[in-house]
Amino acid sequence: MYDEQAECGRLTELLGQLGEHLDQFLLFEHPDAMKDADSWKAALGGALPVSGIGAEQVITEMGAYLIPNGSQIPNPGCTSFITTGATSIGVLATLSGAVAAPQRLGLTAFNFLEGLSLQWMAEMFDLPVEMKGVYSSGGSVANLVALGAARQWAFEQRGFDPARDGLQAPCRIYASSASHHTIHRSAAVLGMGRNSVTAIPTDKQGRLNLTALKQQLQADTSKNSVPVAIVANAGSTDTGAIDPLLEMGKLAREYKIWFHVDGAYGLPGILDPQVHSLYDGLSLADSVTVDPHKWLGAPVGIGATYVRDYGLLRRAFTQEEASYLEGSCAEDDGGKNSMDSLGIPYYDFGVELSAPSRGAVVWALIKEIGRSGLKDRVCRHNAMARQVADQVRLHPNLELVLEPSLSICCFRFVTDQYGDLNELNRRIHRQLVKNGKNIPSTTLFDGILAIRPCFVGARTDWHHASELVDEVIEIGTQLLSKRKTQ
Ligand SMILES: *Cc1c(COP(=O)(O)O)cnc(C)c1O
């Protein structure tokens, strides 16, 4: 019953209907999805539809049962994940790509923005000038692409082509124990194995311990394995700690090892003058990753990898030419038509062929508020974490677990009237989640269970920080008095 005629010109009207439901959702006046899951499951579910109900009716059902039962992640008080709610322009740019350039390929304005936005981000985040980027679905794949480049480089130095011929020797990757698990998974997918990742301990601030790294490198020099990469966090996921980039970069040079900086979360932090110097050493990086779907407020599905040499990426990830693809383009004709060329062959620089136009989204995000708007956001969020730390220092029942580096602050409720403080803080966290206003996550730092807000959402503002601390105090105090009266 798909009606081609009726499809023409429908988006204006349907978008209007959908937009109302989405704006309503963003007020967060609805109950949490799990309050009454049976009713929406019944309404949305049922048997395979034999005949359709039409687009309007689908949108009505979306508005009634689907959208209001979505995620807490876009809730401005939800500071639990680093991925966050997308900004409106990010959503709309994504939609534009879905309609007007379903592939990033071709000589289109969308393809042009793929390269331009990567360049803008490189400039905004002070990456080495020769660095070039490629988009992928997020930090997981961005790290995979970076480590694929590292693997290619390490083996080429020794006269092998690992992408073509496979691995000729066991590999070693050095990363702090606070590194993201996608580093290990990348090592597994790239054939090096999760065990190739050597965990270097962290110091009291959650940063990689340099002495331990030096000792490990020294001890490994005689080993018959290939050192593939030294991986640094520019903002670790659990605490936001920034590893000593300059010293790690120098060690990487000294030992002729690829230096990868994982800035999936924290790279935009470089915009904050108060922490800018922590990024010294970024200039020594051979690869850098950043996730626009975190601090930049893009819809989930956008990560970026930067390297100095596209040639290396191509050798690491090329899919051999296909007659139906490159073969059907005619660049020699002068490129007069958008179908005459595939544009920059991003599909050879990563693991995706079909991929959405992500560049237009990042372009729109930057274009809307500029570098200064993004800088304001990053500075505000970092300052909010410091404000939480200040509030914590002032209260006798709160303890700072770790001084914030970026926009994450780890703290906990303390008292000598409750035995297991980890259990107490876990209970406080469960109550925060139940209340549904301020929803941080928790993390374990040095065996201590900390309440961990991570401020990254564009709609997350000062009052969310202070309200969270107040609520922790309130719940902690209530739990204590309950215990006394029991
Ligand atoms: C979030 C994160 C990742 C993984 O990114 P996804 O986009 O979730 O795949 C990798 N590294 C760090 C440091 C991160 O914070």
Side-chain angles (χ1 to χ4, degrees):
M1 91 149 216
Y2 180 81
D3 182 345
E4 217 170 298
Q5 289 301 314
E7 273 285 303
C8 287
R10 299 199 69 199
L11 277 172
T12 312
E13 179 198 335
L14 295 178
L15 270 177
Q17 291 171 23
L18 186 68
E20 278 178 35
H21 296 304
L22 293 173
D23 278 335
Q24 181 62 40
F25 173 80
L26 288 175
L27 297 175
F28 282 93
E29 288 167 350
H30 53 274
D32 181 79
M34 291 308 286
K35 278 270 163 18
D36 191 9
D38 288 344
S39 76
W40 55 258
K41 279 184 190 166
L44 292 168
L48 171 73
V50 176
S51 46
I53 56 174
E56 274 96 355
Q57 198 51 38
V58 171
I59 289 186
T60 303
E61 292 202 2
M62 284 165 74
Y65 311 115
L66 178 69
I67 294 168
N69 294 302
S71 168
Q72 292 286 359
I73 289 173
N75 187 336
C78 181
T79 52
S80 134
F81 292 173
I82 305 187
T83 49
T84 180
T87 63
S88 300
I89 200 69
V91 169
L92 295 169
T94 304
L95 181 67
S96 308
V99 174
Q103 293 276 13
R104 60 183 160 178
L105 315 173
L107 298 177
T108 66
F110 286 86
N111 180 264
F112 171 70
L113 292 190
E114 206 79 1
L116 181 70
S117 61
L118 283 161
Q119 218 176 297
W120 280 1
M121 277 204 293
E123 187 185 329
M124 191 160 63
F125 301 144
D126 292 349
L127 296 185
V129 283
E130 65 271 35
M131 274 203 169
K132 292 187 173 67
V134 58
Y135 285 118
S136 59
S137 61
S140 305
V141 178
N143 278 334
L144 176 84
V145 170
L147 290 178
R151 184 189 72 164
Q152 190 69 20
W153 185 79
F155 278 86
E156 285 185 0
Q157 299 298 301
R158 292 160 176 80
F160 301 109
D161 180 346
R164 189 188 60 199
D165 301 324
L167 298 186
Q168 311 290 325
C171 302
R172 296 192 310 274
I173 292 169
Y174 302 91
S176 97
S177 51
S179 293
H180 200 271
H181 289 216
T182 55
I183 299 295
H184 305 75
R185 184 172 53 198
S186 299
V189 175
L190 290 162
M192 300 185 278
R194 284 193 297 276
N195 283 345
S196 68
V197 183
T198 304
I200 309 295
T202 52
D203 64 15
K204 291 259 177 292
Q205 275 81 44
R207 301 170 304 203
L208 176 136
N209 180 323
L210 270 179
T211 313
L213 175 62
K214 279 183 204 159
Q215 281 167 357
Q216 189 71 47
L217 288 169
Q218 199 54 46
D220 287 351
T221 41
S222 57
K223 276 197 191 152
N224 184 28
S225 54
V226 177
V228 165
I230 294 177
V231 177
N233 285 312
S236 72
T237 312
D238 56 347
T239 69
I242 299 178
D243 287 338
L245 301 183
L246 188 58
E247 291 81 359
M248 288 176 75
K250 283 184 186 162
L251 275 176
R253 288 277 161 96
E254 185 186 329
Y255 282 85
K256 298 194 170 50
I257 304 176
W258 184 275
F259 182 40
H260 173 57
V261 176
D262 182 354
Y265 151 51
L267 189 65
I270 200 171
L271 291 170
D272 181 351
Q274 288 213 42
V275 293
H276 188 277
S277 63
L278 297 177
Y279 294 80
D280 289 352
L282 196 58
S283 57
L284 297 174
D286 296 298
S287 55
V288 180
T289 48
V290 62
D291 268 354
H293 69 205
K294 288 176 174 167
W295 230 335
L296 263 50
V300 163
I302 312 188
T305 308
Y306 287 88
V307 295
R308 293 169 194 270
D309 179 7
Y310 265 165
L312 183 69
L313 274 189
R314 191 198 281 263
R315 295 196 295 283
F317 291 106
T318 187
Q319 46 166 15
E320 311 272 287
E321 284 202 6
S323 51
Y324 63 87
L325 206 63
E326 293 91 339
S328 76
C329 292
E331 260 171 291
D332 293 349
D333 288 354
K336 287 275 169 28
N337 186 289
S338 64
M339 299 296 280
D340 283 342
S341 164
L342 299 178
I344 298 174
Y346 291 111
Y347 48 88
D348 270 337
F349 304 153
V351 292
E352 300 167 316
L353 171 56
S354 291
S357 294
R358 302 176 174 110
V361 181
V362 174
W363 171 88
L365 295 168
I366 299 175
K367 194 86 178 167
E368 183 191 21
I369 57 172
R371 181 187 188 278
S372 78
L374 289 169
K375 179 183 166 190
D376 287 350
R377 184 190 302 164
V378 165
C379 289
R380 177 178 88 240
H381 288 146
N382 285 347
M384 283 161 63
R386 290 191 291 266
Q387 179 194 291
V388 169
D390 288 342
Q391 270 177 281
V392 164
R393 271 188 281 262
L394 287 175
H395 198 280
N397 285 116
L398 295 179
E399 180 183 87
L400 194 60
V401 174
L402 196 67
E403 200 69 51
S405 307
L406 295 173
S407 66
I408 295 173
C409 185
C410 295
F411 68 101
R412 64 173 179 166
F413 191 91
V414 288
T415 169
D416 52 16
Q417 295 158 47
Y418 198 104
D420 184 347
L421 290 179
N422 281 4
E423 188 208 307
L424 174 62
N425 280 279
R426 203 182 298 284
R427 289 184 65 191
I428 294 174
H429 179 253
R430 292 319 304 160
Q431 193 58 46
L432 286 166
V433 172
K434 270 190 203 146
N435 294 354
K437 284 199 300 278
N438 301 293
I439 315 175
S441 74
T442 60
T443 192
L444 268 182
F445 187 78
D446 224 0
I448 294 175
L449 187 115
I451 292 172
R452 171 197 168 279
C454 171
F455 304 109
V456 281
R459 299 180 179 93
T460 303
D461 215 335
W462 292 99
H463 67 97
H464 295 107
S466 48
E467 283 166 18
L468 166 66
V469 179
D470 292 344
E471 198 180 348
V472 168
I473 296 168
E474 193 187 312
I475 297 171
T477 313
Q478 272 168 10
L479 286 174
L480 276 190
S481 63
K482 243 194 232 162
R483 193 180 169 96
K484 280 185 207 144
T485 56
Q486 264 165 13

